[in-house]
Every structure is written in C-alpha cells, then in structure tokens.
Amino acid sequence: MKEGKTVNACLLERKHFDTLLDALKVRGYKIIGPIVKDNAIVLEPVESVTQLPIGWVDEQSNGVYRLRKTDTPTLFNFTVGPHSLKQYLFPSVQKIFMTQRQGKSTESTVDEKVERKKKYAFIGLRPCELAALHIHDMVFIGGMYSDPVYQVRRKDLFLIVVNCTRAGGTCFCASMKTGPRAERGYDIAITEVYEKNQHYFILEGGSDRGMSLLKELKQGKEIDGRVQKVQELYTKAVQEMGKAVETSKLKDILAQQLEHPEYDNVGNRCLSCANCTLVCPTCFCSTVEDVTELSGASADRIRKWDSCFTLDFSYIHGGPVRLSVKSRYRQWLVHKFSTWIDQFGTFGCVGCGRCITWCPVGIDITEEIVKIRG
Ligand code: SF4
Ligand code: SF4
C-alpha cells in the first residue's frame, strides 16, 4: 500500500493471503480460526492458510449438519459451525478459586490462571458472532458488576470477521439485523470473492489497529470500485436465507401468549437435552460446583456451563420451579425474544441458526415463533 495513506479498504489476492496471517504473527498474536475437525468446522489455533477449510462447504437444515468437499479453492465458503467465541471468553469449565488447609486454618486464592499470557487474534468469525459478542459484553462487563474471567479474556482481542456471501440452511441473521455484513465491532472485515477464476478478498479496516495493519500489507491493492460487487453478494445472501423471524411487537406478543397451546406441542417433542443452549453463542447460564480432595487438604470452586433445560437449574429450596419440559422450552424462547430485552435492551438471539441445526429432533425456533405469533 502507499506509504502514509490511511487505509480503510484494500484488495488482497488469494496468493498473498498469507501476508495477513504473517502480519498478525509479527504483532505477537496467537491466531484462532476455522479448521475441519471431527466432520465439523470448529475454531482452533491456525498457523497457516493451508489449515483453513479450503473448498469445504457446510450443508445445514433442521437437525442436520454435513460437510462437503468441493473443487473450488475458497477459504470461507461455509457459515457457522458448533463453536463460537463463547468457548474462549466464557469457558465451559472454569476454576474460580482454590482453598488449601494451612494447619488449623484455610487459605483461599483466586485462580491466577485467569490472567492471559498470550494475545489472541480470531479470524473467520461471522457478523452474527460479533453481534453475540456485543451481547455478552453487555451481560458480563456492561453492568454494575463485571465477570473477571470474561474481562481478562475479552481484552485486546484482534477480531477479523468474514462477511457472509452465502446463507446457511438455518440462518436468519437478516431478520435479527446482525448480518450478513458486519457493521461494527471488528478490526478487519473480509469479503471473499471467487468468480471467473478471479479469487481475491476485500479487506475493510474497522479500527485504528485494523487500518494500521492494512497499511502494512505490501501486496494490498486499491479496491477500484469493487464495493458495488460485494454489495451484490450480500444481497444475494439475504435473498437465499430460507428462515426468518418477524420481530415487530414480538416481545409483547410472547409475554401475552404464555399459555399458547404450541408450548404443549413443542414440549412433547423436546428432549430437554440442552444442545440448543450449549451451541448458542449468547446463552450464558452457569452453575458452580465445589470439588474437595479426598484427603480434605484442598477444595476448588468450579464454574460450569448449565442450561435452563436442565431440571436442576430451577431448583429452589425443595424442588425445581420448572418441572415440565414445556415450561423449560417456554422459558428459553421467551427469554431470548422477550425478557432479554427487559434485562439487556436487546434480543438474546442473533439468528445464527445453531439451535435449529444441532437440535436432535429438529425443533426450529423460527417455526415455533410463527405458530405462537399466529
Ligand atoms: S437462539 Fe438459536 S439462532 Fe438465536 S443466537 Fe441462539 S443458537 Fe443462534
Ligand atoms: S429444543 Fe432441541 S436441542 Fe433444545 S433441548 Fe429441546 S431437543 Fe434439545
């Protein structure tokens, strides 16, 4: 790029994509990105472009997730897999503090491993995942009390989002206004273009450090009015999106329809397995367990993911409040699209579609909302 010029956007050809990863490494970042593992696309450490899911496409529908290898050399022609940022910022198992016996007294220490030694750069996040991150920021660090684990892990992340040019089979981000193009909260946004044997990426800077990195990409070129081209790709993704949620007045409708007969119907089908809450990038229910060494010399307090679908989650002095599966499903759906707004001023759903894909019986939250709105 030209010396001294502020760089908001540039074009990077596929053959030079490595330079983006190299620039992150030079800055000391450990890169986490999408790779194929166990027949799914998950987020794991990435050292080189060759580890990315080159040519892989995901096929998703209610209760179905499949990967298919194609001949195209695309790097990001898939949508969201079972992983999200949640695993990294709000780990499924986290030691909170330890207590050790010291003679006749005990000494408690907060787990120092909360402190991070490495800086992390995430590449390949989707716009809906950035929206989920924004929601978690409100939940964990936006109120009167902050979660120290999340706060430390959230600090200094370098976020590279990939705008979606193809809709997944269960996505409805357009309804939730969280995609297919990221509007904010990223350092660099990438749009991949592969057509007529041309393969390149439009890179847009969303922060000072993102723009500074773009400026250093020696192989970055001017984008030459290709903004129109990528806009057409986002429009195509919206048109392809097979699922939708009508959000107008939804908060009030759900609050008024708590006895809707559809809750009996879905309660009969739901297995209460909690898959939907575990893959959801915004669900954040947790529980704490105390684990004591057999000798009694030490004990740890551990925070673990929990789910509003488990019976124990609503246990209050003598028994669970939500005994039926129907009541637990209703709690989840109404929280996501109604009471979450009372708590945090936003929906608790970003339209990623994971809960639909990973539900073993294919329950579809968009279909349930249609029936309850009905
Ligand atoms: S409720 Fe479902 S679609 Fe909405 S954010 Fe969670 S997993 Fe994604
Ligand atoms: S809606 Fe589906 S994924 Fe969620 S608890 Fe019920 S069966 Fe499991």
Side-chain angles (χ1 to χ4, degrees):
M1 297 304 300
K2 287 177 192 162
E3 206 49 37
K5 190 173 176 186
T6 304
V7 180
N8 292 325
C10 71
L11 183 152
L12 192 66
E13 289 182 12
R14 163 65 185 90
K15 62 185 176 200
H16 300 307
F17 195 81
D18 276 314
T19 59
L20 177 61
L21 302 191
D22 292 343
L24 291 170
K25 286 184 212 161
V26 165
R27 285 166 161 74
Y29 287 107
K30 184 177 176 69
I31 303 168
I32 308 290
I35 64 159
V36 175
K37 186 176 176 186
D38 298 333
N39 298 316
I41 292 174
V42 296
L43 293 172
E44 295 244 328
V46 166
E47 287 292 321
S48 118
V49 175
T50 55
Q51 287 173 272
L52 295 175
I54 298 171
W56 286 95
V57 177
D58 54 350
E59 296 173 342
Q60 302 194 39
S61 60
N62 298 21
V64 175
Y65 179 94
R66 298 273 183 277
L67 288 185
R68 181 167 54 84
K69 186 84 166 95
T70 68
D71 294 334
T72 56
T74 46
L75 304 187
F76 301 105
N77 197 20
F78 48 86
T79 56
V80 291
H83 281 186
S84 66
L85 271 172
K86 182 163 96 169
Q87 274 87 343
Y88 286 89
L89 304 190
F90 173 53
S92 56
V93 179
Q94 174 74 44
K95 195 186 289 184
I96 301 172
F97 72 76
M98 299 155 285
T99 300
Q100 289 214 308
R101 193 191 291 273
Q102 305 281 355
K104 288 190 175 169
S105 61
T106 56
E107 186 176 310
S108 296
T109 46
V110 175
D111 188 3
E112 296 298 332
K113 290 195 196 97
V114 165
E115 290 300 331
R116 287 215 133 175
K117 302 281 184 292
K118 288 195 168 67
K119 297 194 295 179
Y120 281 81
F122 283 83
I123 187 166
L125 301 173
R126 297 296 171 166
C128 60
E129 291 176 298
L130 281 191
L133 176 68
H134 183 61
I135 289 174
H136 270 186
D137 285 350
M138 278 190 276
V139 171
F140 288 117
I141 54 178
M144 198 184 296
Y145 304 103
S146 289
D147 182 289
V149 176
Y150 185 90
Q151 197 166 30
V152 168
R153 288 172 170 252
R154 173 71 172 93
K155 200 164 161 262
D156 292 334
L157 293 185
F158 196 100
L159 300 169
I160 302 182
V161 66
V162 175
N163 290 321
C164 294
T165 55
R166 160 184 172 258
T170 55
C171 304
F172 53 100
C173 65
S175 299
M176 305 312 294
K177 300 187 173 46
T178 58
R181 181 183 192 173
E183 301 289 344
R184 61 178 174 149
Y186 57 83
D187 292 295
I188 294 176
I190 296 177
T191 305
E192 181 173 27
V193 181
Y194 177 71
E195 56 169 15
K196 297 179 191 148
N197 293 327
Q198 278 193 306
H199 193 185
Y200 59 88
F201 302 85
I202 302 292
L203 272 48
E204 297 166 85
S207 66
D208 288 346
R209 57 188 186 163
M211 285 190 265
S212 149
L213 190 148
L214 292 190
K215 193 168 138 186
E216 282 173 35
L217 289 181
K218 298 274 185 292
Q219 307 294 347
K221 297 179 182 172
E222 304 293 326
I223 56 174
D224 296 334
R226 288 177 214 237
V227 172
Q228 177 63 28
K229 170 77 212 163
V230 290
Q231 188 54 50
E232 286 167 14
L233 295 174
Y234 309 140
T235 305
K236 178 179 84 61
V238 171
Q239 288 165 349
E240 281 174 5
M241 216 164 280
K243 298 202 183 283
V245 164
E246 172 55 64
T247 56
S248 67
K249 299 196 176 107
L250 186 56
K251 172 187 185 307
D252 295 334
I253 292 170
L254 291 177
Q256 290 155 8
Q257 294 285 355
L258 295 177
E259 297 304 328
H260 196 287
E262 179 53 22
Y263 288 120
D264 291 308
N265 178 10
V266 72
N268 286 335
R269 287 178 287 138
C270 173
L271 307 175
S272 207
C273 68
N275 263 17
C276 48
T277 54
L278 300 182
V279 290
C280 177
T282 64
C283 279
F284 61 91
C285 290
S286 63
T287 186
V288 285
E289 285 179 8
D290 290 340
V291 182
T292 314
E293 243 189 30
L294 280 178
S295 68
S298 68
D300 295 337
R301 175 155 292 178
I302 293 169
R303 180 174 74 182
K304 298 167 94 172
W305 285 359
D306 204 342
S307 167
C308 52
F309 279 93
T310 66
L311 199 54
D312 280 350
F313 192 73
S314 69
Y315 187 97
I316 302 173
H317 54 75
V321 173
R322 289 186 283 273
L323 271 171
S324 66
V325 175
K326 161 192 165 179
S327 66
R328 299 203 284 279
Y329 187 88
R330 178 176 56 199
Q331 153 67 24
W332 181 64
L333 186 143
V334 174
H335 190 208
K336 287 283 176 200
F337 289 91
S338 183
T339 49
W340 201 296
I341 298 173
D342 298 326
Q343 283 180 287
F344 304 111
T346 174
F347 287 114
C349 171
V350 295
C352 71
R354 285 182 177 90
C355 57
I356 307 170
T357 298
W358 296 95
C359 174
V361 290
I363 292 174
D364 183 333
I365 199 166
T366 66
E367 291 170 9
E368 297 306 319
I369 288 173
V370 167
K371 289 175 192 163
I372 293 161
R373 278 195 82 108

